[in-house]
Amino acid sequence: MVLKSISRQGFILLILSIIFLTVGCSNSDSDTVTSSNTSSNSSVSSNTGAGSTENNSGVVSTIAGSGSAGNANGIGTEASFFGPYGVTIDSAGNIIIADLFNNLIRKIDSDGVVTTIAGSGSQGSADGTGTAASFYQPNGVTIDSNGNIIVTDQRNNLIRKIDSDGVVTTIAGTGSAGNANGTGTAASFNYPTGVAIDSAGNIIVADYFNHLIRKIDSDGVVTTIAGTGSAGSADGTGTAASFNRPAGVATDSAGNIIVTGWGSNLIRKIDSDGVVSTIAGTGSAGSANGIGTEASFNGPYKVAIDGAGNIIVAELLGNLIRKIDSEGVVTTIAGSGSAGSDNGTGTAASFNYPAGVAIDSAGNIIVTDINNYLIRKIQ
């Protein structure tokens, strides 16, 4: 696919993205650029349904999207998106997309048919069924053990749920920016972005502007797992550790939480005891491959874990999809590093702000390609 000239909508999206990414301004005046892949079986991990990417050949193709901003449903490239961010895959193999600037939650079925699951398309926070409900820049999506879609409703500072009947309810959040722990709507968030489910069924949230990792248990009680609340990159236990705009979270079968540090250019791990350590990244922007802290990232956004335990990272500013294996070796799966929309193999393909990654049962990597308005597949 040839990269198209920037439309008026595309120019607006680019400007909004640059403002958010480079300034990192407060919740009241920013308009984004950020889940994690989960399976429906939370008894093991939030990525149980993911296959191994070990045999992935790195061939990039386009699943859906016209290449222009829009909200049309349809088959494959007849459909359109405007700011696809978070992505996950349900137990039936459907791809679930948080279509951020359209304020919609979309679905792509196994035949490539794109439909709208929920959202009126207008900014709002109304609960309701399907298109009677509303969102304000939904960013992250994941799926719990009952098949419910959990959504980080970014600009509303809410965590929402869409059940199997399409009924949207609010799980937690006051709707105002804050960092209060508490139960349900007594708790508060500040730009929640990434979301995952752990082995106990808890909802794990990357609380972006609070620089915190939060947990919502089955009773709706919100607590802080890790983070001082100030931007930083210190390792440590629980609230002694610090994060800088955590954007993506994923959980593995050992109970670890993997966190992408958008502001720190680091990939971090929180173990089951709450100990935070750095897996990979120098802390400076770059796209060098290597082992652990010898490697570098440029705007790591969302993250997923495959069936072999490899960590897959969407490196948004670097326009790359990266992999960290069990030995901490960082490699590039796909992307030339320059903005583009070319299909191809490995570094012959190109992306333009890849944000979300999810892994299907065959080990294919699904990528939300924001500024190309496309959903891509690496197989």
Side-chain angles (χ1 to χ4, degrees):
M1 179 180 292
V2 179
L3 184 64
K4 299 178 183 300
S5 59
I6 297 178
S7 64
R8 180 175 180 275
Q9 284 180 308
F11 179 75
I12 292 171
L13 175 58
L14 180 61
I15 294 302
L16 291 174
S17 299
I18 290 171
I19 290 172
F20 179 83
L21 292 167
T22 59
V23 177
C25 48
S26 68
N27 182 46
S28 61
D29 61 5
S30 69
D31 223 321
T32 292
V33 143
T34 161
S35 231
S36 64
N37 177 44
T38 68
S39 86
S40 62
N41 183 0
S42 68
S43 64
V44 179
S45 82
S46 68
N47 292 276
T48 304
S52 171
T53 60
E54 293 293 336
N55 295 319
N56 192 300
S57 299
V59 178
V60 179
S61 58
T62 298
I63 297 174
S66 65
S68 298
N71 61 5
N73 289 322
I75 300 175
T77 56
E78 296 174 0
S80 54
F81 302 87
F82 189 21
Y85 274 69
V87 57
T88 191
I89 299 172
D90 70 15
S91 59
N94 298 304
I95 300 167
I96 310 300
I97 305 289
D99 196 355
L100 187 140
F101 288 108
N102 276 327
N103 300 300
L104 299 174
I105 306 301
R106 317 283 292 280
K107 180 177 79 171
I108 308 173
D109 71 15
S110 58
D111 294 319
V113 178
V114 179
T115 55
T116 297
I117 296 173
S120 65
S122 298
Q123 298 169 1
S125 59
D127 289 335
T129 302
T131 56
S134 55
F135 302 89
Y136 189 5
Q137 293 187 4
N139 189 309
V141 284
T142 192
I143 298 174
D144 71 14
S145 60
N146 295 314
N148 300 306
I149 302 169
I150 309 301
V151 181
T152 51
D153 196 355
Q154 179 179 271
R155 290 298 294 270
N156 279 326
N157 295 302
L158 298 175
I159 310 302
R160 316 285 293 280
K161 180 178 78 172
I162 309 172
D163 71 14
S164 58
D165 294 319
V167 178
V168 180
T169 54
T170 297
I171 296 173
T174 62
S176 298
N179 61 3
N181 289 323
T183 302
T185 56
S188 54
F189 303 86
N190 192 355
Y191 242 63
T193 53
V195 63
I197 307 291
D198 71 11
S199 59
N202 299 305
I203 300 169
I204 310 299
V205 177
D207 198 353
Y208 188 89
F209 280 126
N210 278 329
H211 313 291
L212 298 174
I213 305 302
R214 316 285 292 280
K215 179 177 79 173
I216 309 171
D217 70 14
S218 59
D219 294 319
V221 178
V222 179
T223 54
T224 297
I225 296 174
T228 62
S230 297
S233 58
D235 289 336
T237 302
T239 56
S242 55
F243 300 89
N244 190 345
R245 287 176 286 172
V249 286
T251 60
D252 68 17
S253 59
N256 300 305
I257 302 169
I258 307 302
V259 182
T260 50
W262 170 264
S264 64
N265 291 305
L266 297 175
I267 311 302
R268 316 284 294 282
K269 179 177 79 172
I270 309 172
D271 72 14
S272 57
D273 294 319
V275 177
V276 179
S277 57
T278 299
I279 297 174
T282 63
S284 298
S287 297
N289 290 322
I291 299 175
T293 56
E294 296 173 0
S296 56
F297 298 87
N298 188 5
Y301 204 63
K302 302 283 191 183
V303 61
I305 303 174
D306 74 9
N310 297 301
I311 299 168
I312 310 299
V313 178
E315 187 182 308
L316 191 146
L317 291 181
N319 292 305
L320 300 173
I321 306 301
R322 314 286 294 280
K323 179 173 80 171
I324 309 171
D325 71 14
S326 59
E327 303 296 328
V329 178
V330 180
T331 55
T332 298
I333 296 174
S336 66
S338 298
S341 61
D342 291 333
N343 289 322
T345 301
T347 57
S350 55
F351 302 91
N352 193 353
Y353 281 12
V357 283
I359 303 160
D360 69 16
S361 60
N364 300 310
I365 303 167
I366 309 302
V367 180
T368 52
D369 197 354
I370 297 176
N371 278 354
N372 281 326
Y373 317 107
L374 299 175
I375 309 304
R376 316 285 291 278
K377 180 171 72 172
I378 308 173
Q379 65 185 45

